[in-house]
Amino acid sequence: MTAALATPWQTTDDMQRELARQARRAEVATGVLHDVGNALTSVNVALSMLLDAASDSRLAQLARAVELLNEHTGDIGSFLSDDPRGRRLLPYLGKVTARLQEEHQALSRELEEMRRPLDHIRTIIGIQQAQASSHSRLARCDLQAVVDNALRLDALSLERNAIEVVHEGTPACGVLTDEHKVVQILVNLLSNARKSVLASGRSDGRVTIRHGITPTGDHLIDVSDNGVGIAAEHLCRVFVFGFTTNGQGHGFGLHNSANLATELGGSLRVASAGPGQGATFTLEIPAPNAARAAVR
């Protein structure tokens, strides 16, 4: 029996499905690159602060003090007790040592801050690998700790731009979800809020993040800013792939965040009173039963 040839409709239908699959793969890859780019921005800020600290180091003064001591190795005792420069040298070395200890502590803190976004990049890649192998990452976690983690990842950029951060929420708030996806979403929302505040040019920039529980057991996280706001005609388009009102943006972050929220079984929505009035993005994470159903 001769095999039946595919009809034009079947061929077209198969082609459309394949094109849709390829488009989704490209969309996911774009979202991953965007999130990695956000994390690398934090790395770059931390690196800039490290370079600033290194350029302002007191090592040169210490080297000069050692050089002065070497010049008097044959009469070190009389130099330290009789020479005016020698009498000032030991107290000076004490001050330089204290300053170098402060520098070391500051550099250690900056290196720790640099490590966080690098760990986040590894997590982003791990999430995509887990999704490719259909592994769920649902686990019970403390929502306040998740929010704190996201805030730490963007803390340097917010601090350097003198943007006030207000965090309000119920302490020790347990939730069953994929913690890393939630962090990805929040980092995107915080980055978006920071850029909105900077674009507004206001000196009292503020980002507020709140989290709580609805009567039905769902969890809500609001990320609000007092930035440029969103025009009414744009509210329905902010999550569309490629849409942006930011001349330097690409329109990938919010779209990818909305997709991640859907994967969690939840949703992401936005509200704004209009241009100049700031905006609030709300992530809804479903109650435990709904969260379990979302990954079946």
Side-chain angles (χ1 to χ4, degrees):
M1 180 180 295
T2 303
L5 295 175
T7 65
W9 169 254
Q10 289 174 319
T11 303
T12 301
D13 195 40
D14 290 342
M15 183 181 297
Q16 287 176 339
R17 282 196 296 269
E18 179 58 28
L19 288 173
R21 281 194 293 269
Q22 292 180 11
R24 177 55 184 157
R25 291 192 195 104
E27 191 177 301
V28 169
T30 300
V32 170
L33 290 174
H34 177 275
D35 290 346
V36 169
N38 271 347
L40 287 176
T41 297
S42 296
V43 173
N44 188 53
V45 171
L47 181 58
S48 296
M49 297 180 76
L50 285 171
L51 291 172
D52 290 344
S55 65
D56 193 37
S57 176
R58 294 299 185 271
L59 279 175
Q61 288 89 329
L62 179 61
R64 175 58 188 147
V66 172
E67 182 182 338
L68 194 58
L69 286 171
N70 286 332
E71 291 173 359
H72 294 275
T73 53
D75 61 337
I76 189 69
S78 60
F79 173 69
L80 292 175
S81 61
D82 301 332
D83 191 303
R85 294 177 303 167
R87 288 196 297 268
R88 292 194 299 268
L89 188 57
L90 289 181
Y92 177 74
L93 283 173
K95 292 179 181 179
V96 171
T97 300
R99 179 59 186 266
L100 287 173
Q101 288 174 335
E102 292 175 3
E103 287 180 10
H104 179 267
Q105 292 172 355
L107 290 172
S108 296
R109 287 194 298 270
E110 297 303 332
L111 286 171
E112 176 64 21
E113 291 301 325
M114 184 181 289
R115 184 185 63 79
R116 296 182 194 280
L118 291 174
D119 285 344
H120 186 51
I121 290 173
R122 185 167 62 248
T123 297
I124 291 170
I125 295 171
I127 288 173
Q128 299 309 316
Q129 291 173 332
Q131 288 179 333
S133 58
S134 301
H135 291 163
S136 170
R137 300 170 67 95
L138 276 185
R140 183 162 293 281
C141 52
D142 178 4
L143 194 58
Q144 178 162 301
V146 174
V147 172
D148 286 340
N149 188 17
L151 283 170
R152 279 193 294 269
L153 286 167
D154 206 45
L156 286 177
S157 296
L158 290 164
E159 180 181 341
R160 187 161 241 199
N161 289 289
I163 297 174
E164 179 189 6
V165 177
V166 179
H167 180 192
E168 303 171 353
T170 306
C173 184
V175 59
L176 179 68
T177 189
D178 186 325
E179 174 181 354
H180 301 298
K181 287 185 180 180
V182 175
V183 169
Q184 272 187 266
I185 295 169
L186 294 180
V187 167
N188 269 323
L189 296 183
L190 288 167
S191 174
N192 187 73
R194 170 170 45 82
K195 292 173 183 176
S196 175
V197 170
L198 291 176
S200 72
R202 59 191 305 160
S203 59
D204 61 340
R206 184 176 65 257
V207 173
T208 302
I209 184 164
R210 300 183 180 90
H211 57 85
I213 308 175
T214 69
T216 59
D218 296 333
H219 295 262
L220 299 179
I221 306 176
D222 289 339
V223 178
S224 303
D225 64 75
N226 61 348
V228 295
I230 304 171
E233 62 269 24
H234 293 154
L235 285 173
C236 62
R237 302 178 62 196
V238 294
F239 299 117
V240 173
F241 183 78
F243 177 78
T244 180
T245 57
N246 179 359
Q248 298 180 335
H250 301 91
F252 302 150
L254 292 177
H255 175 77
N256 188 51
S257 295
N259 284 340
L260 289 173
T262 300
E263 291 171 9
L264 293 172
S267 63
L268 185 61
R269 55 183 182 269
V270 62
S272 174
Q277 301 298 311
T280 296
F281 287 83
T282 300
L283 170 64
E284 182 173 355
I285 303 173
N289 290 340
R292 291 184 185 278
V295 296
R296 285 177 184 169

